[in-house]
Amino acid sequence: MLYWLPRFFVLALAGIVIGFGLLPQTTDEVARMLLIIVLGLGLLSLTLHLFPPGQR
């Protein structure tokens, strides 16, 4: 279950952003949001690589 938890929170955050109309208006805001998403996914990938699910 913990393996799917970060993915669930990312989808929930995306739903909240779209639901409340918090989409970025300018290209700078879009670029900043994409950088944050890429960095977050990179950290998630690194965490899963260092601590693989199902192994201790």
Side-chain angles (χ1 to χ4, degrees):
M1 177 64 184
L2 291 178
Y3 183 73
W4 290 101
L5 204 55
R7 289 176 176 91
F8 173 74
F9 282 122
V10 168
L11 288 175
L13 179 63
I16 290 170
V17 166
I18 292 171
F20 285 111
L22 301 174
L23 296 175
Q25 300 297 322
T26 65
T27 56
D28 289 339
E29 292 174 357
V30 172
R32 189 174 298 122
M33 180 181 258
L34 289 175
L35 282 174
I36 290 171
I37 290 170
V38 167
L39 287 174
L41 291 175
L43 288 173
L44 175 63
S45 178
L46 179 64
T47 302
L48 290 175
H49 180 72
L50 292 176
F51 305 105
Q55 297 178 2
R56 295 179 190 235

